Structure formats: C-alpha cells, structure tokens
Amino acid sequence: MKRIKMGCTTLSIPAMALGIMRMNQKSVPEAQVAIQAAYDAGINFIDSADIYGGGKSEEIFGQAFSQMQIKREEMFIQSKTGIVPGKCYDFSKEHILHSVDEILERMQLDYLDSLVLHRPDALMDPEEVAEAFDQLQAAGKVRFFGVSNFDTAQFKLLQSCLSQRLMFNQLQFSLKHTGMIDFGMHMNMVDKPSVDRDSQFLDYARLHKVTVQAWSPFQYGMFEGTFIDNDGFPKLNQELQKLADKYEVGKNAIAAAWILRHPANIQMLVGSMNPQHIRDSAKGAKIRLTRQEWYDLYLAAGNYLP
C-alpha cells in the first residue's frame, strides 16, 4: 500500500482508509472479514463517525476489533462528531467532549488517533472548540484533529485559535465529483465548471500541508449510487474497463488510481464492506496512471477542457 505523509508531520499513513459507515449492516464476523481484508491490503486506517448507523457501526466495529489479533497500535482509528441528525450541527465544548466519550465506549477504545469535526457549524466558537481539543489531548483521548467539508476560510478561522495543527479535511472527490479541479482549468471563463465551489481548498491544502481525505470515491451525486458498472455512464465504464484490462485489476482500482494520481497526496476513503471490493480498490494504490490516461478518464466522466 502506498504511504503518504500525514498533514504537516513526518508520520506516514496509508493512501487509503476504510470507512465504516455501512458496518451497522454487518454481523460481527462479517465486520471482522472486512477489517481483515483492509488490513491485509495495507489499509490500517479506520474512518468512522458518531452518527454512522446511529452509533451501531461503531458498536459493531468495537465488538469485531476487540476479538481480532490486530494490535491497537497497528491501527489508526478516526471518528467524526458534530452532527445531531435532523436537529442541528453542534461544535459546543460540551457536545464534543461527551461525543468522544461515547465514541470510545462504543468502539471499545482508550483513545482516538484522530477526531474530525463533521460539517461546519454556523454557530461555531473557535475558542470553545480549542478548549475541547486541548482537554481531549491532555487527557490522552485524542492524538490529532481535523475537519470535514470545511471551506478555506472556515478552516483558517478554526486553525487560528487552536494549539494543534489541523491534519485533515474530508471533501467529496471522485471521477463524478470533480469540482475541486474543474474551476482551475476553466479559470477566467464564464461556463459552469469555472465556478469555484470549494474556495480553492485543494491548492490551500498543498501549500499548508493538509491531508485531503476523499469521500464517496465511487459515487455520483450525493449518495445517489455508484458509477461503477452503471448503465447511466457507458463512456466512463468503457474507459475504466479498458484500463482495468491493461493493468489487470477491477474498475474500482482504476477509479481509485485516478484519485491517487493527483499530486496533492490525497487519502481516499473506501466505504465498501465487500472484501473483494476492498481488495480491488487497494490495488489502485499500486497503479500510476499516465497523464493521458488520467485525462482520458476525466473526459470520459463527462468533463471537457476549455
């Protein structure tokens, strides 16, 4: 598995992480198979969130992982907080501290390697978040911190009050969600791709050594479905299959390789619980697409160059 530097540190993490959003749909033995498949492929990074399955995903993970032979220190385990489903976003100190205690209990852990704030809270008080982070770090409950779906200004605002460096920002990115790179190639134009919807965060991340974590790498829309083997995307799947045949892997591996080819050293979150899909996706970390292959996929996905 390809390794990348984590944020501004010298620590290395795998270029892929296993997202456990759907682990609530699995039995404990099935969850163990998925975790083991990821680990055997070099994916020793787990991404979770307190709302996944209403907490059930973390409970299943905790039960499964506690019975496995993998040592805790061999895994990097991350969870997210801040969303109160259907009610509000909550970055209050009280909510963050309480949420972490519940996460640790569900996952049967003494500490998290990373805590990520899930979606921007319009009422965020950066100084209050800083107090929560300091308390969690001092208590040994969380080692590192990050955010998810933050724009550049929100990221900089929070960072200005923290004593820790933010390591991550989770953002949607895939062959069918390319806004972070579209606007740069359509600079100074008035067409739809020229609109910057991500506040140039990808460039900011490269300048300031922040690890972008790409979620929904095989999805189109907002959880509308996968574009892999989807009849609605014939040209893209034809191109994926052509390269899959060339590199002797599955389409998932090629779609993953497309993300990892970007020089920003993006970490991709694999959300599948299917062991075969996990193994195939992991193969993408060993493939370096040519520049033309990367652009061929970009164009096959329905994008165009000005």
Side-chain angles (χ1 to χ4, degrees), residues 16 252-262 284-285 287-289 294:
M16 294 185 187
N252 287 62
I254 300 301
W258 185 86
I259 293 173
L260 301 184
R261 178 65 172 82
H262 195 280
I287 297 170
R288 182 175 173 82
L289 297 174
W294 188 91

Side-chain angles (χ1 to χ4, degrees), residues 19 23 83 160 175 184 291:
M23 192 165 277
I83 298 179
S160 71
L175 273 163
R291 183 178 298 269

Side-chain angles (χ1 to χ4, degrees), residues 73-89:
E73 58 270 23
E74 294 178 342
M75 296 290 281
F76 191 108
I77 301 177
Q78 168 178 283
S79 190
K80 299 183 288 293
T81 189
I83 298 179
V84 182
K87 295 183 178 181
C88 67
Y89 298 148

Side-chain angles (χ1 to χ4, degrees), residues 32 38 68 74 82 90 103 145 186 261 282 287 291:
Q32 289 177 325
M68 298 180 71
E74 294 178 342
D90 191 347
I103 290 169
F145 300 91
H186 289 255
R261 178 65 172 82
I287 297 170
R291 183 178 298 269

Side-chain angles (χ1 to χ4, degrees), residues 176-216:
K176 290 301 297 179
H177 195 97
T178 56
M180 283 199 297
I181 58 176
D182 294 340
F183 81 95
M185 290 184 283
H186 289 255
M187 186 268 179
N188 200 35
M189 300 189 70
V190 294
D191 53 358
K192 186 176 179 180
S194 68
V195 178
D196 177 12
R197 296 178 173 83
D198 303 283
S199 66
Q200 302 181 44
F201 191 86
L202 193 58
D203 292 332
Y204 176 87
R206 296 176 72 180
L207 285 168
H208 297 275
K209 293 181 169 52
V210 179
T211 298
V212 170
Q213 297 177 319
W215 57 271
S216 289

Side-chain angles (χ1 to χ4, degrees), residues 2 51 67 69 100 192 208 238 265 274 286-287 289:
K2 174 185 176 182
I51 64 166
Q67 300 172 28
Q69 299 302 309
V100 169
K192 186 176 179 180
H208 297 275
Q238 181 181 358
N265 281 326
N274 182 316
K286 299 179 180 179
I287 297 170
L289 297 174

Side-chain angles (χ1 to χ4, degrees), residues 5 30 33 54 63 68 102 161 189 208 214 237 240 250 258 266 294 303-304:
K5 293 290 176 61
E30 288 172 333
V33 171
Q63 295 171 33
M68 298 180 71
E102 291 189 328
C161 293
M189 300 189 70
H208 297 275
N237 276 282
L240 285 168
W258 185 86
I266 295 170
W294 188 91
N303 300 298
Y304 62 93

Side-chain angles (χ1 to χ4, degrees), residues 132-148:
F133 283 8
D134 286 345
Q135 187 168 327
L136 289 169
Q137 193 171 62
K141 294 181 180 180
V142 180
R143 298 175 63 205
F144 302 103
F145 300 91
V147 296
S148 180

